[in-house]
Amino acid sequence: MKENNRVLFVGNGIAMQMGIAEKWDTIIKDIAEDYGVKLFPDTNNYLPNNMQIVIATNDNVDKAMAEFCEKLKAISLTDEQKIFGKKILSLPFDKIITTNYTYELEKSVKNNKLFRCTNPKDFRYERSDMTLFGYIPINKNKKVWHIHGHACACNSVIIGHYYYGKLLSKIQQYISSNMKTWIANQKYGREHKIVSWVDSFLTDDVYMFGFGMDLCELDIWWLVCCKKRHFPDSKIYFYVPKWELAENNSRRLLMNAYGIIIREVECENYSDFYNIILDELS
């Protein structure tokens, strides 16, 4: 069996490690205070983040995200923060998927204030759809997909029921139109043409860290299920500190059911965790 290509998948954890982001529960709490909404932790904590944000904004998600993106666009990096970003970019992955709206990876090596998406050439899908196709080139060979939107384009941000539903619908339509080709390529040992991050997620081996696989990420969970059903020879490796996921944790149980390979890292704290991962993956 041929060796699969690989893709790196990172999330808010890397931005937190660089000191430029907060946990989502903190973000939601701050937004609720801005909108004068009283939160009830015993109730709200049972809801996924994409539902909590609806409550916290009194269903003014669009306005809240526009305001939030203005803050995110102003983020700059120190030289020390850039070192961590450069270490991630130096890993042997030509393709990087991130759920972050911010440009901590790109800003580690470029001084741009604005990052514009590049689209694959010569394909039949809507070129302006940055959520599926648009990527930011780091260099000639390395690209970054921001699959949940961009701080520089607040209308692209995926948060709340409405936008998660729209994104999942696009993903399903795209997969439906390409599945026969992918299956034929798999059958005859042909290389899959990577046009969208969805292609890479399904057909490549995925290495995840700094991403919590929260149950609110319904697009990712659906793709995990789809990957297992149609591309069982491609794997997902999920890196996590050994002390973070209890044996009866709902995310662990769901990952086990879907065949995600959980790589538990013996470490004292998150700094150790990332250092160990970067050494291993390099």
Side-chain angles (χ1 to χ4, degrees):
M1 182 166 49
K2 75 179 185 66
E3 183 179 354
N4 292 326
N5 293 319
R6 297 181 295 273
V7 61
L8 184 64
F9 192 116
V10 294
N12 193 47
I14 67 166
M16 290 174 59
Q17 181 64 20
M18 294 172 79
I20 63 169
E22 300 279 357
K23 290 183 177 180
W24 265 103
D25 55 356
T26 302
I27 295 170
I28 290 170
K29 180 183 176 183
D30 290 345
I31 290 174
E33 290 178 358
D34 291 341
Y35 278 78
V37 174
K38 183 178 180 180
L39 297 180
F40 299 89
D42 290 343
T43 303
N44 286 67
N45 289 344
Y46 282 106
L47 296 174
N49 290 335
N50 61 343
M51 297 183 189
Q52 289 188 41
I53 195 72
V54 176
I55 296 172
T57 63
N58 198 25
D59 197 24
N60 287 292
V61 177
D62 292 14
K63 181 181 177 182
M65 287 303 101
E67 296 165 349
F68 186 46
C69 284
E70 287 301 312
K71 297 178 183 178
L72 297 181
K73 285 193 292 185
I75 290 174
S76 59
L77 301 183
T78 66
D79 289 340
E80 186 176 355
Q81 290 168 329
K82 289 179 181 180
I83 291 172
F84 183 73
K86 288 176 181 177
K87 286 181 179 179
I88 293 176
L89 291 174
S90 70
L91 296 175
F93 296 88
D94 294 335
K95 296 163 291 185
I96 300 174
I97 296 172
T98 180
T99 52
N100 296 351
Y101 316 130
T102 45
Y103 307 101
E104 57 278 346
L105 295 177
E106 293 89 340
K107 287 185 176 182
S108 295
V109 293
K110 296 182 179 182
N111 293 320
N112 301 28
K113 291 185 177 179
L114 178 68
F115 291 92
R116 297 188 182 278
C117 283
T118 298
N119 287 293
K121 296 178 180 179
D122 301 323
F123 72 106
R124 66 183 184 274
Y125 299 98
E126 175 56 51
R127 290 175 179 269
S128 63
D129 189 350
M130 64 169 64
T131 54
L132 289 189
F133 306 106
Y135 64 87
I136 295 177
I138 299 297
N139 53 41
K140 185 177 180 181
N141 298 316
K142 197 178 291 282
K143 64 181 66 173
V144 178
W145 283 290
H146 289 262
I147 66 173
H148 283 174
H150 295 248
C152 286
C154 63
N155 61 344
S156 70
V157 168
I158 306 298
I159 189 68
H161 275 134
Y162 183 75
Y163 292 106
Y164 266 100
K166 284 186 68 175
L167 176 59
L168 185 53
S169 176
K170 290 179 184 179
I171 290 171
Q172 290 173 325
Q173 290 177 26
Y174 179 70
I175 290 175
S176 177
S177 64
N178 284 278
M179 186 59 72
K180 289 182 180 179
T181 301
W182 289 334
I183 290 175
N185 288 343
Q186 192 176 45
K187 180 178 179 180
Y188 296 108
R190 296 192 294 255
E191 192 75 22
H192 298 291
K193 185 177 181 181
I194 303 299
V195 174
S196 164
W197 67 270
V198 176
D199 307 329
S200 185
F201 189 95
L202 290 178
T203 65
D204 293 340
D205 285 342
V206 181
Y207 291 76
M208 285 184 172
F209 66 82
F211 180 69
M213 280 298 286
D214 192 280
L215 299 180
C216 78
E217 307 290 3
L218 57 94
D219 56 327
I220 305 303
W221 283 109
W222 189 87
L223 279 168
V224 167
C225 176
C226 187
K227 183 181 180 77
K228 181 186 178 185
R229 287 170 179 254
H230 300 290
F231 301 95
D233 291 333
S234 63
K235 306 299 180 186
I236 298 176
Y237 300 92
F238 181 81
Y239 288 80
V240 64
K242 192 163 187 177
W243 36 263
E244 186 173 293
L245 282 182
E247 186 177 356
N248 64 344
N249 183 280
S250 56
R251 290 176 294 145
R252 176 191 285 275
L253 298 175
L254 198 53
M255 283 191 275
N256 288 341
Y258 281 140
I260 293 177
I261 299 167
I262 301 173
R263 294 277 178 86
E264 296 181 283
V265 177
E266 291 273 8
C267 57
E268 295 288 331
N269 50 48
Y270 280 112
S271 292
D272 289 345
F273 171 69
Y274 285 111
N275 286 332
I276 292 168
I277 290 176
L278 291 173
D279 285 343
E280 179 177 329
L281 293 182
S282 65

